[in-house]
Amino acid sequence: MRKNIIKSIYFISILLLIVGCSQKPTINVAKVEANVENHLNELDEVEIALSTFDGDENIKFRLMVEGYPTENEVTILFNKILESFEKYSNQENFWMDYNGYFDIKNYEDGVIYEGTKLIDREIKIISK
């Protein structure tokens, strides 16, 4: 009888530990978005930075720029977005819980680059 109680307590403890460790950290994504937008709006190469969050795991982010940046410049800008979310959320593994859909748009041509950062994957960038 006593062995069964100990086994049950052990099993429940392990189950609670697994469930507790698998949950997303509590992050105020709207506040993080605002901080990232403000940070990126200060960059010379960015005219406007805007974002939306679906309340679950998808973040959309748009950068308005003048002209036509090179692929290298675009890669740097997209990486700044990723790094800024990690910095302002204080979560080094922020992108293990969220998907990011990014684009860069200019006034003449519309969307010129898109980036997709899915959970636990590298960012993919395509030119439009």
Side-chain angles (χ1 to χ4, degrees), residues 29-95:
V29 177
K31 184 177 179 180
V32 173
E33 281 182 307
N35 288 331
V36 173
E37 287 176 12
N38 289 337
H39 171 71
L40 293 172
N41 279 322
E42 293 176 358
L43 300 176
D44 290 336
E45 56 267 39
V46 174
E47 292 291 314
I48 301 170
L50 302 167
S51 62
T52 62
F53 176 57
D54 71 356
D56 186 28
E57 63 184 22
N58 299 302
I59 297 169
K60 293 183 180 180
F61 209 93
R62 169 166 286 164
L63 297 178
M64 292 292 295
V65 298
E66 284 192 23
Y68 202 91
T70 66
E71 285 191 36
N72 187 49
E73 292 169 327
V74 167
T75 301
I76 291 169
L77 284 171
F78 281 146
N79 282 324
K80 284 183 181 181
I81 295 171
L82 297 177
E83 292 164 4
S84 295
F85 271 92
E86 290 172 348
K87 174 184 174 184
Y88 290 107
S89 68
N90 294 317
Q91 297 292 322
E92 190 174 295
N93 296 323
F94 181 87
W95 295 107

